[in-house]
């Protein structure tokens, strides 16, 4: 008998896609995705060579700093950088904020609650020569000639700082911050001491007021005649109390020693 071969395969193990193989493929895909995400998250650390650091230090030495003595109202760092950036490349800018106490005084005097104001500023240019030219050209000149501008009528007040670097400014700002913090600590300690002294004085005043009130009550009672009766009652109560009597021995004189010894022996016998 010839065996009849059919087109289908009845062996269950010979199937192409089993559930175990599907699970392993999914795990592999997930692992690949996680590896890709980790590679993206890792930041590339750019190591500077010695030549690059030397070039960067040379660029820093080429830069120049301008000091602005007065910052007009409604002018911030972005606006100042935009105005001065027309004359050269501005790398960094720092404006000193107005003191809080001065701001409160100004708001009380004017009655307006305006935004931040700045007192002075420093601007760093990429090139020293450009910074010198800008300081010489713009000093005591109007900021803008447009009449509708807020800064119409305000003048630039600036000066080029020779041999001044940005690191000097950061050191200055850090030193001033430390001094301010130390001053605040001292003021807080003084305020605590004053509060403690004031509380002690208040307590002492209260005790004195109590003593005075008691004294006034006594005087009022004495003036009304109650004080005399109270004194009599106190004396009568002290007389009623039983008193203890103690036997007092006669003192022994130093002159008559024999008589004293005889008296002591007689008392002992």
């Amino acid at each position: 008998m010839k065996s009849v071969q059919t087109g289908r395969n009845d062996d269950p193990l010979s199937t192409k896609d089993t559930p175990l193989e599907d699970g392993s493929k999914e795990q592999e895909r997930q692992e690949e995705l996680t590896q890709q995400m980790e590679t993206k998250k890792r930041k590339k650390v750019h190591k500077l060579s010695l030549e690059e650091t030397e070039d960067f230090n040379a660029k820093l030495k080429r830069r120049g700093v301008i000091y602005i003595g007065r910052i007009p109202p409604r002018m911030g760092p972005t606006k100042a950088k935009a105005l001065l950036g027309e004359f050269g490349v501005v790398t960094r800018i720092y404006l000193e904020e107005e003191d809080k106490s001065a701001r409160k005084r100004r708001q009380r005097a004017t009655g307006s609650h305006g935004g931040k104001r700045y007192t002075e500023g420093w601007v760093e240019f990429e090139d020293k020569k450009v910074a010198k030219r800008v300081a010489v050209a713009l000093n005591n000149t109007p900021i803008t000639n447009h009449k509708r501008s807020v800064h119409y009528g305000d003048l630039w007040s600036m000066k080029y700082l020779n041999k001044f670097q940005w690191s000097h400014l950061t050191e200055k700002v850090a030193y001033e911050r430390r001094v301010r913090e130390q001053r605040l600590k001292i003021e807080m300690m003084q305020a605590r001491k004053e509060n403690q002294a004031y509380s002690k004085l208040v307590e002492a005043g209260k005790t004195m007021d109590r003593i005075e009130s008691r004294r006034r009550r006594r005087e009022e009672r004495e003036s009304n005649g109650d004080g005399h009766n109270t004194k009599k009652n106190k004396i009568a109560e002290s007389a009623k109390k039983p008193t203890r009597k103690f036997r007092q021995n006669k003192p022994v004189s130093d002159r008559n020693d024999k008589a004293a010894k005889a008296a002591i022996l007689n008392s002992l016998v």
Side-chain angles (χ1 to χ4, degrees):
M1 291 294 290
K2 291 181 179 180
S3 61
V4 181
Q5 293 179 358
T6 59
R8 61 183 179 179
N9 191 3
D10 296 330
D11 190 1
L13 297 171
S14 65
T15 55
K16 290 182 180 179
D17 295 329
T18 59
L20 294 171
E21 290 177 355
D22 293 337
S24 62
K25 286 179 181 178
E26 287 178 359
Q27 287 179 359
E28 288 176 359
R29 287 174 187 171
Q30 287 178 359
E31 287 176 358
E32 288 177 358
L33 288 169
T34 52
Q35 286 177 1
Q36 289 177 1
M37 292 293 288
E38 286 176 358
T39 51
K40 286 180 181 178
K41 285 179 181 178
R42 286 175 188 172
K43 293 180 180 179
K44 292 181 180 180
V45 179
H46 183 66
K47 293 181 180 180
L48 290 171
S49 62
L50 222 141
E51 294 178 355
E52 289 178 349
T53 53
E54 287 176 356
D55 293 338
F56 181 71
N57 291 327
K59 286 179 182 178
L60 289 176
K61 287 179 181 178
R62 285 191 216 115
R63 294 178 181 178
V65 181
I66 288 173
Y67 171 72
I68 302 173
R70 179 183 175 275
I71 307 296
R74 298 182 185 180
M75 182 179 280
T78 52
K79 200 165 189 179
K81 190 174 182 180
L83 290 169
L84 295 172
E86 297 176 358
F87 306 98
V89 180
V90 177
T91 52
R92 285 179 283 194
I93 186 168
Y94 174 75
L95 301 181
E96 185 73 25
E97 288 186 12
E98 189 181 15
D99 192 15
K100 290 182 179 179
S101 59
R103 188 187 300 168
K104 287 180 181 178
R105 275 188 259 113
R106 176 175 56 79
Q107 288 175 355
R108 285 174 188 171
T110 57
S112 63
H113 299 282
K116 286 183 181 180
R117 284 194 184 180
Y118 301 93
T119 55
E120 55 186 359
W122 291 263
V123 184
E124 187 185 50
F125 283 87
E126 195 176 8
D127 193 2
K128 286 181 181 179
K129 295 178 181 179
V130 176
K132 285 180 184 178
R133 290 171 189 168
V134 170
V136 172
L138 295 181
N139 191 25
N140 290 328
T141 58
I143 294 171
T144 180
N145 293 322
H146 298 288
K147 290 184 178 180
R148 292 184 180 180
S149 178
V150 181
H151 306 296
Y152 181 76
D154 292 326
L155 301 175
W156 286 113
S157 176
M158 57 177 61
K159 183 183 179 182
Y160 174 73
L161 301 176
N162 193 16
K163 295 181 181 179
F164 187 85
Q165 294 181 358
W166 199 259
S167 59
H168 300 158
L169 178 62
T170 53
E171 289 173 3
K172 175 180 173 289
V173 172
Y175 174 74
E176 287 179 352
R177 192 178 296 161
R178 279 191 235 109
V179 169
R180 201 181 300 119
E181 289 175 356
Q182 194 69 21
R183 195 181 297 157
L184 284 170
K185 285 181 181 177
I186 292 165
E187 287 177 359
M188 290 293 289
M189 288 172 69
Q190 287 179 353
R192 286 175 185 171
K193 286 180 180 179
E194 287 176 359
N195 288 330
Q196 288 176 358
Y198 180 74
S199 62
K200 286 180 181 178
L201 289 171
V202 168
E203 289 176 359
K206 286 179 180 179
T207 53
M208 292 296 291
D209 291 337
R210 289 171 186 169
I211 292 165
E212 286 180 359
S213 63
R214 289 175 184 173
R215 193 177 292 166
R216 286 173 186 172
R217 287 173 188 172
R218 284 178 186 174
E219 289 176 357
E220 287 176 357
R221 286 174 184 173
E222 287 176 359
S223 63
N224 293 328
D226 296 335
H228 188 65
N229 295 327
T230 53
K231 285 180 181 178
K232 283 183 178 180
N233 292 329
K234 286 180 181 179
I235 292 163
E237 287 177 358
S238 62
K240 286 179 183 179
K241 289 180 181 178
T243 55
R244 294 180 66 185
K245 293 180 179 180
F246 295 95
R247 186 179 176 185
Q248 182 67 33
N249 294 324
K250 291 181 180 180
V252 178
S253 61
D254 296 332
R255 293 177 183 177
N256 300 323
D257 295 333
K258 292 180 180 179
K261 288 178 182 178
I264 290 163
L265 290 170
N266 291 326
S267 63
L268 290 170
V269 171

